[in-house]
Amino acid sequence: MLEINNLHVELEGDAKPILKGVSLSIGAGTVHAIMGPNGSGKSTMSYVLSGRDGYRVTEGTATLQGEDLLAMDPEQRAAAGLFLAFQYPVEIPGVGNMTFLRTALNAQRKTRGEPEVSAGEFLKLIRDKAKSLKIDAEMLKRPVNVGFSGGEKKRNEILQMAVLEPKMCILDETDSGLDVDAMKLVADGVNALRDQGRSFLVITHYQRLLDHIAPDVVHIMADGRIVKTGGPDLALEVENNGYADILAEVKG
Amino acid sequence: MSLAVVKSDPLANRLASSDHVTAGWTAPARAEALARLTAMGLPGRRDEYWRYTRPDALNAAMPLPAMDFRSDEVPVFDAVDRLRIVFIDGVFSEADSDPLDVAGIRVERLADVQGADIHWAQDLYGTLEAKGQHPVARPFAALATATATDGVLIHVTGRALRPVSLIYRHNAATSDAVLHHVIRLDPGAALTLLENGPGAARFTTLMEVDVGEGAAFHHIRAQGRDRDRHAATHLFARVAAAALFKSFTLTVNGRLTRNEAVIDLLGDGGVAHIAGAALGDGAFMHDDTVFMTHDAVGCESRQVFKKVLRNGAVGVFQGKILVKQGAQKTDGYQISQSLLLDEDSQFLAKPELEIYADDVACSHGSTSGAIDETALYYLRSRGVPRKEAVDLLVLSFVAEALAEIADDDLREDIADRLRGWLARRA
């Protein structure tokens, strides 16, 4: 599904490298987790993959189902099936949540040469999806993320994911700022979307999200590289011993 | 009255083309306005409130030509059940207008009743304008009182069941129109007034509004889209106790637009909101000049102005809140913002607060900025193409001003105009 090979990235206008050769292969229907200390490059990787301005790829490749991601605009990546759930979802006053989502869905469909979804069809679709995430009609009408609590913003991200039905979902610290109940709700939303054709990359600091979204593969990232890869047990090891041991082991 | 045309006197030249009304009940007010105008003269760049906006085209003896804007779009407010009063190049068109008899309101034409004795209108015509000349001179308002050829007099005694809609069409390339409206809302009365259209190649208007105790006045205006039109509009209002005054203006296109508003909150607990959204592309100069006076206890005022500018368009905001002695518990708010879509466009703002009471809450803010890159990235990451994403962010930017329109359908109608303007742009 997603193939990243020897990816090197630096900030535009600053020759300081942030990613120093990341390689990652995520198969269809699998859930990968990336853990790592602050500043290891986890969020940068999610931004680069989704096409945010301000980064320069100096080496390496990233493909989604064989298509060159790095050559596409952000909207083309979305239409190709990539979705990033933001760590800090953006507030957009004056644009209704539903208007936003319908615009996004139809734009993607148009790009893929599919017919647009009518207002009626969309309403039915979004109501079904919203219900399971405990998002009420009032929240759908409000401007995008404006006045939403931290938990509501994250649930709204998952709602977007559910409506847009991407193939490759990246969750950037979706657990940050969530209490246990909210995290459970978000995780349930994600789990409901798991299927054989859809892959996930879950970026997190803590193991606790992975209690709810069980990963197939866990990677540890440090200093712009994947330094260790293992099974779900690796997340438990981090939880118990912190990153220091692993980093020392890798360096040693 | 005959005015000798002296080539070296710009004011005389400007007035030479007008037919001066010298009879009827407006005559004394017109004579006084002409004296005021003569004393203050036409504005120049040295005048403090004309530093950002060049008045040359408004001062000139003849208007610059402007072609009318043609489009297949359904005209704004078309779906609204309303009383239509149509002026073409400033001339009333009976054929295009509805009969002026409506329950709850009395509507008459200024040109019809010059000779009649209409006390309420006589008390207002030129009165608010004269009062509003201090401390800042407003020459084109005085000119409108002195030389208006027509206008409407609206006396609202109850709740008007339908909005009154003033439609200003423009046909002749060099038309020069001056209209003066007078509106009186009795205590507890309510009226929605709609205005749309360019009016003329050069359009000078004045509206004096007297909002009685507990009355509600809603004003929604969409100024004409003719690219080369010039307009100087004036809105003078006095707001009595517990009354509501709301005004919203949408401006897209137009070479020069100067919208002045002078609003006096004179009764306790009055509310006055004035808002505007302006979208300019290229040769576009848009100026909102507002003077809000709190002269009673516990009044609320809001000024919300948003301008979206590109390709060298220029926006100006000069907004003042004056809180007089004794106007305690005043709640004043003012925001003026511009969204600059490129580096060629310009926004000039002069917010002013002058406060003589000690128990008031007044806030003001003015910002100028580009499209928020993070928000743009967020929208694009969801699959929204760049152009559409920018358009959504423009709508987001003006939303606070649009929110000042109380009626949902009218707000949506105005939002449609905005979307249309955006859709026509590459």
Side-chain angles (χ1 to χ4, degrees), chain B residues 21-32 108-127 152-153 180-182 208:
Chain B
V21 174
T22 53
W25 59 268
T26 58
R30 287 172 184 269
E32 283 169 30
E108 275 151 315
R109 280 177 50 223
L110 181 63
D112 278 347
V113 296
Q114 304 265 26
D117 194 13
I118 300 180
H119 286 291
W120 72 266
Q122 194 165 1
D123 290 345
L124 272 178
Y125 189 93
T127 306
V152 289
L153 314 176
H180 188 143
H181 310 302
V182 177
E208 292 173 294

Short mmCIF file of all heavy atoms in Angstrom, two decimals, chain B residues 21-32 108-127 152-153 180-182 208:
data_model
loop_
_atom_site.label_atom_id
_atom_site.label_comp_id
_atom_site.label_asym_id
_atom_site.label_seq_id
_atom_site.Cartn_x
_atom_site.Cartn_y
_atom_site.Cartn_z
N VAL B 21 -33.95 72.66 -6.89
CA VAL B 21 -35.34 72.82 -6.46
C VAL B 21 -35.41 74.02 -5.53
O VAL B 21 -34.68 74.12 -4.55
CB VAL B 21 -35.80 71.56 -5.71
CG1 VAL B 21 -37.19 71.76 -5.13
CG2 VAL B 21 -35.76 70.36 -6.63
N THR B 22 -36.27 74.98 -5.88
CA THR B 22 -36.32 76.20 -5.07
C THR B 22 -37.70 76.42 -4.47
O THR B 22 -37.94 77.43 -3.82
CB THR B 22 -35.94 77.42 -5.92
OG1 THR B 22 -36.78 77.42 -7.08
CG2 THR B 22 -34.49 77.36 -6.34
N ALA B 23 -38.61 75.46 -4.70
CA ALA B 23 -39.94 75.61 -4.12
C ALA B 23 -40.26 74.37 -3.28
O ALA B 23 -39.55 73.38 -3.34
CB ALA B 23 -40.97 75.77 -5.23
N GLY B 24 -41.34 74.46 -2.49
CA GLY B 24 -41.78 73.30 -1.71
C GLY B 24 -41.11 73.22 -0.36
O GLY B 24 -40.25 74.04 -0.02
N TRP B 25 -41.55 72.20 0.40
CA TRP B 25 -41.10 72.12 1.79
C TRP B 25 -39.64 71.79 1.98
O TRP B 25 -39.06 72.01 3.03
CB TRP B 25 -41.98 71.14 2.57
CG TRP B 25 -41.97 69.72 2.01
CD1 TRP B 25 -42.82 69.21 1.10
CD2 TRP B 25 -41.07 68.67 2.35
NE1 TRP B 25 -42.51 67.91 0.83
CE2 TRP B 25 -41.43 67.55 1.59
CE3 TRP B 25 -39.97 68.57 3.22
CZ2 TRP B 25 -40.76 66.33 1.67
CZ3 TRP B 25 -39.29 67.36 3.31
CH2 TRP B 25 -39.71 66.26 2.54
N THR B 26 -39.00 71.23 0.94
CA THR B 26 -37.57 70.92 1.11
C THR B 26 -36.69 72.14 0.81
O THR B 26 -35.50 72.12 1.11
CB THR B 26 -37.13 69.78 0.16
OG1 THR B 26 -37.40 70.18 -1.20
CG2 THR B 26 -37.86 68.49 0.47
N ALA B 27 -37.30 73.19 0.25
CA ALA B 27 -36.49 74.32 -0.21
C ALA B 27 -35.60 74.94 0.88
O ALA B 27 -34.40 75.16 0.65
CB ALA B 27 -37.38 75.37 -0.86
N PRO B 28 -36.16 75.20 2.07
CA PRO B 28 -35.27 75.79 3.11
C PRO B 28 -34.11 74.87 3.46
O PRO B 28 -32.96 75.32 3.59
CB PRO B 28 -36.21 75.98 4.30
CG PRO B 28 -37.60 75.95 3.74
CD PRO B 28 -37.55 75.07 2.54
N ALA B 29 -34.40 73.56 3.60
CA ALA B 29 -33.34 72.61 3.95
C ALA B 29 -32.30 72.55 2.84
O ALA B 29 -31.09 72.45 3.09
CB ALA B 29 -33.94 71.22 4.19
N ARG B 30 -32.76 72.60 1.60
CA ARG B 30 -31.82 72.57 0.47
C ARG B 30 -30.93 73.81 0.46
O ARG B 30 -29.72 73.72 0.21
CB ARG B 30 -32.60 72.48 -0.84
CG ARG B 30 -33.23 71.11 -1.10
CD ARG B 30 -34.14 71.16 -2.31
NE ARG B 30 -34.85 69.91 -2.55
CZ ARG B 30 -34.39 68.92 -3.33
NH1 ARG B 30 -33.22 69.03 -3.90
NH2 ARG B 30 -35.11 67.83 -3.50
N ALA B 31 -31.55 74.98 0.73
CA ALA B 31 -30.78 76.22 0.74
C ALA B 31 -29.72 76.19 1.84
O ALA B 31 -28.56 76.58 1.63
CB ALA B 31 -31.72 77.40 0.92
N GLU B 32 -30.12 75.66 3.00
CA GLU B 32 -29.15 75.57 4.10
C GLU B 32 -28.02 74.61 3.76
O GLU B 32 -26.84 74.86 4.07
CB GLU B 32 -29.85 75.09 5.38
CG GLU B 32 -30.66 76.17 6.07
CD GLU B 32 -31.55 75.61 7.17
OE1 GLU B 32 -31.16 74.59 7.79
OE2 GLU B 32 -32.63 76.18 7.40
N GLU B 108 -43.79 57.40 -0.19
CA GLU B 108 -44.01 58.44 -1.19
C GLU B 108 -42.70 58.79 -1.85
O GLU B 108 -41.62 58.48 -1.33
CB GLU B 108 -44.59 59.69 -0.53
CG GLU B 108 -46.09 59.60 -0.40
CD GLU B 108 -46.61 60.39 0.79
OE1 GLU B 108 -46.02 60.29 1.87
OE2 GLU B 108 -47.58 61.10 0.62
N ARG B 109 -42.81 59.43 -3.00
CA ARG B 109 -41.61 59.86 -3.69
C ARG B 109 -41.34 61.32 -3.39
O ARG B 109 -42.24 62.14 -3.40
CB ARG B 109 -41.74 59.66 -5.19
CG ARG B 109 -41.49 58.21 -5.61
CD ARG B 109 -41.70 58.08 -7.08
NE ARG B 109 -40.95 59.11 -7.79
CZ ARG B 109 -41.43 59.81 -8.81
NH1 ARG B 109 -42.64 59.60 -9.24
NH2 ARG B 109 -40.68 60.73 -9.40
N LEU B 110 -40.08 61.58 -3.15
CA LEU B 110 -39.67 62.95 -2.86
C LEU B 110 -40.12 63.88 -3.98
O LEU B 110 -40.67 64.97 -3.73
CB LEU B 110 -38.14 62.98 -2.70
CG LEU B 110 -37.51 64.32 -2.38
CD1 LEU B 110 -37.99 64.84 -1.04
CD2 LEU B 110 -35.98 64.21 -2.37
N ALA B 111 -39.94 63.45 -5.21
CA ALA B 111 -40.26 64.30 -6.36
C ALA B 111 -41.77 64.60 -6.45
O ALA B 111 -42.16 65.64 -6.96
CB ALA B 111 -39.79 63.64 -7.65
N ASP B 112 -42.58 63.67 -5.92
CA ASP B 112 -44.04 63.86 -5.97
C ASP B 112 -44.56 64.86 -4.95
O ASP B 112 -45.59 65.48 -5.16
CB ASP B 112 -44.75 62.52 -5.68
CG ASP B 112 -44.82 61.65 -6.92
OD1 ASP B 112 -44.55 62.19 -8.01
OD2 ASP B 112 -45.12 60.46 -6.77
N VAL B 113 -43.88 64.89 -3.82
CA VAL B 113 -44.47 65.60 -2.69
C VAL B 113 -43.70 66.84 -2.28
O VAL B 113 -43.84 67.33 -1.17
CB VAL B 113 -44.62 64.65 -1.46
CG1 VAL B 113 -45.60 63.54 -1.79
CG2 VAL B 113 -43.27 64.10 -1.06
N GLN B 114 -42.91 67.35 -3.20
CA GLN B 114 -42.15 68.56 -2.87
C GLN B 114 -43.09 69.67 -2.43
O GLN B 114 -42.79 70.45 -1.55
CB GLN B 114 -41.37 69.05 -4.10
CG GLN B 114 -40.46 68.04 -4.72
CD GLN B 114 -39.03 68.12 -4.24
OE1 GLN B 114 -38.78 68.59 -3.13
NE2 GLN B 114 -38.11 67.65 -5.02
N GLY B 115 -44.25 69.70 -3.07
CA GLY B 115 -45.17 70.79 -2.77
C GLY B 115 -46.07 70.50 -1.58
O GLY B 115 -46.67 71.42 -1.01
N ALA B 116 -46.21 69.24 -1.21
CA ALA B 116 -47.11 68.89 -0.11
C ALA B 116 -46.46 69.19 1.23
O ALA B 116 -45.26 69.44 1.32
CB ALA B 116 -47.47 67.42 -0.21
N ASP B 117 -47.28 69.14 2.26
CA ASP B 117 -46.78 69.48 3.58
C ASP B 117 -46.70 68.19 4.40
O ASP B 117 -47.70 67.67 4.86
CB ASP B 117 -47.78 70.46 4.24
CG ASP B 117 -47.16 71.10 5.46
OD1 ASP B 117 -45.93 70.99 5.63
OD2 ASP B 117 -47.91 71.70 6.24
N ILE B 118 -45.48 67.64 4.49
CA ILE B 118 -45.33 66.38 5.21
C ILE B 118 -44.44 66.64 6.42
O ILE B 118 -43.22 66.72 6.32
CB ILE B 118 -44.71 65.31 4.29
CG1 ILE B 118 -45.63 65.10 3.08
CG2 ILE B 118 -44.51 64.01 5.03
CD1 ILE B 118 -45.14 64.08 2.11
N HIS B 119 -45.12 66.80 7.57
CA HIS B 119 -44.39 67.28 8.74
C HIS B 119 -43.25 66.38 9.16
O HIS B 119 -42.14 66.84 9.43
CB HIS B 119 -45.36 67.48 9.90
CG HIS B 119 -46.21 68.68 9.73
ND1 HIS B 119 -45.70 69.96 9.80
CD2 HIS B 119 -47.53 68.81 9.47
CE1 HIS B 119 -46.66 70.84 9.59
NE2 HIS B 119 -47.80 70.16 9.38
N TRP B 120 -43.54 65.07 9.23
CA TRP B 120 -42.50 64.18 9.75
C TRP B 120 -41.26 64.21 8.88
O TRP B 120 -40.14 64.19 9.36
CB TRP B 120 -43.04 62.76 9.93
CG TRP B 120 -43.28 62.02 8.63
CD1 TRP B 120 -44.45 61.95 7.95
CD2 TRP B 120 -42.33 61.28 7.88
NE1 TRP B 120 -44.29 61.22 6.80
CE2 TRP B 120 -42.99 60.78 6.73
CE3 TRP B 120 -40.97 60.99 8.04
CZ2 TRP B 120 -42.36 60.01 5.77
CZ3 TRP B 120 -40.33 60.22 7.08
CH2 TRP B 120 -41.03 59.73 5.96
N ALA B 121 -41.47 64.27 7.57
CA ALA B 121 -40.34 64.27 6.66
C ALA B 121 -39.62 65.62 6.68
O ALA B 121 -38.39 65.68 6.60
CB ALA B 121 -40.81 63.94 5.24
N GLN B 122 -40.41 66.66 6.83
CA GLN B 122 -39.83 68.00 6.89
C GLN B 122 -38.90 68.12 8.10
O GLN B 122 -37.85 68.76 8.04
CB GLN B 122 -40.95 69.02 6.98
CG GLN B 122 -40.48 70.43 6.71
CD GLN B 122 -41.65 71.37 6.44
OE1 GLN B 122 -42.81 70.95 6.48
NE2 GLN B 122 -41.33 72.61 6.18
N ASP B 123 -39.30 67.44 9.19
CA ASP B 123 -38.46 67.48 10.39
C ASP B 123 -37.14 66.73 10.21
O ASP B 123 -36.18 66.96 10.92
CB ASP B 123 -39.21 66.87 11.59
CG ASP B 123 -40.35 67.77 12.05
OD1 ASP B 123 -40.37 68.95 11.64
OD2 ASP B 123 -41.23 67.28 12.78
N LEU B 124 -37.14 65.79 9.27
CA LEU B 124 -35.95 64.95 9.10
C LEU B 124 -35.06 65.38 7.93
O LEU B 124 -33.84 65.23 8.00
CB LEU B 124 -36.36 63.49 8.85
CG LEU B 124 -36.58 62.60 10.06
CD1 LEU B 124 -37.03 61.22 9.59
CD2 LEU B 124 -35.29 62.46 10.87
N TYR B 125 -35.69 65.83 6.84
CA TYR B 125 -34.94 66.07 5.61
C TYR B 125 -33.78 67.05 5.84
O TYR B 125 -34.00 68.22 6.16
CB TYR B 125 -35.87 66.62 4.51
CG TYR B 125 -35.21 66.71 3.15
CD1 TYR B 125 -35.32 65.67 2.24
CD2 TYR B 125 -34.47 67.82 2.77
CE1 TYR B 125 -34.70 65.72 1.00
CE2 TYR B 125 -33.83 67.88 1.55
CZ TYR B 125 -33.95 66.84 0.66
OH TYR B 125 -33.33 66.89 -0.56
N GLY B 126 -32.59 66.54 5.72
CA GLY B 126 -31.40 67.38 5.91
C GLY B 126 -31.01 67.60 7.36
O GLY B 126 -29.94 68.15 7.64
N THR B 127 -31.88 67.17 8.28
CA THR B 127 -31.62 67.44 9.69
C THR B 127 -30.50 66.57 10.25
O THR B 127 -29.56 67.05 10.89
CB THR B 127 -32.91 67.19 10.52
OG1 THR B 127 -33.95 67.98 9.96
CG2 THR B 127 -32.69 67.56 11.97
N VAL B 152 -37.12 58.37 -1.74
CA VAL B 152 -38.38 57.91 -1.17
C VAL B 152 -38.52 58.43 0.26
O VAL B 152 -37.52 58.61 0.97
CB VAL B 152 -38.50 56.37 -1.16
CG1 VAL B 152 -38.70 55.84 -2.57
CG2 VAL B 152 -37.32 55.72 -0.49
N LEU B 153 -39.76 58.65 0.63
CA LEU B 153 -40.07 58.99 2.01
C LEU B 153 -40.88 57.81 2.55
O LEU B 153 -41.92 57.47 1.99
CB LEU B 153 -40.93 60.25 2.09
CG LEU B 153 -40.48 61.43 1.24
CD1 LEU B 153 -41.49 62.58 1.35
CD2 LEU B 153 -39.10 61.91 1.68
N HIS B 180 -32.11 61.18 -2.36
CA HIS B 180 -32.16 61.44 -0.92
C HIS B 180 -33.41 60.75 -0.36
O HIS B 180 -34.51 61.04 -0.77
CB HIS B 180 -32.23 62.96 -0.69
CG HIS B 180 -32.11 63.37 0.74
ND1 HIS B 180 -31.44 64.51 1.14
CD2 HIS B 180 -32.56 62.81 1.88
CE1 HIS B 180 -31.50 64.62 2.46
NE2 HIS B 180 -32.18 63.60 2.94
N HIS B 181 -33.19 59.81 0.55
CA HIS B 181 -34.31 59.09 1.16
C HIS B 181 -34.47 59.51 2.61
O HIS B 181 -33.47 59.77 3.30
CB HIS B 181 -34.07 57.58 1.14
CG HIS B 181 -33.68 57.04 -0.20
ND1 HIS B 181 -34.45 57.19 -1.32
CD2 HIS B 181 -32.57 56.35 -0.61
CE1 HIS B 181 -33.85 56.61 -2.35
NE2 HIS B 181 -32.71 56.10 -1.95
N VAL B 182 -35.71 59.51 3.04
CA VAL B 182 -35.99 59.83 4.45
C VAL B 182 -36.90 58.74 5.00
O VAL B 182 -37.92 58.42 4.40
CB VAL B 182 -36.67 61.20 4.57
CG1 VAL B 182 -37.02 61.49 6.03
CG2 VAL B 182 -35.78 62.31 4.02
N GLU B 208 -31.58 59.23 5.44
CA GLU B 208 -31.70 59.64 6.85
C GLU B 208 -32.75 58.74 7.49
O GLU B 208 -33.87 58.61 6.97
CB GLU B 208 -32.10 61.11 6.94
CG GLU B 208 -30.98 62.03 6.45
CD GLU B 208 -31.39 63.50 6.38
OE1 GLU B 208 -32.27 63.82 5.55
OE2 GLU B 208 -30.83 64.30 7.14
#
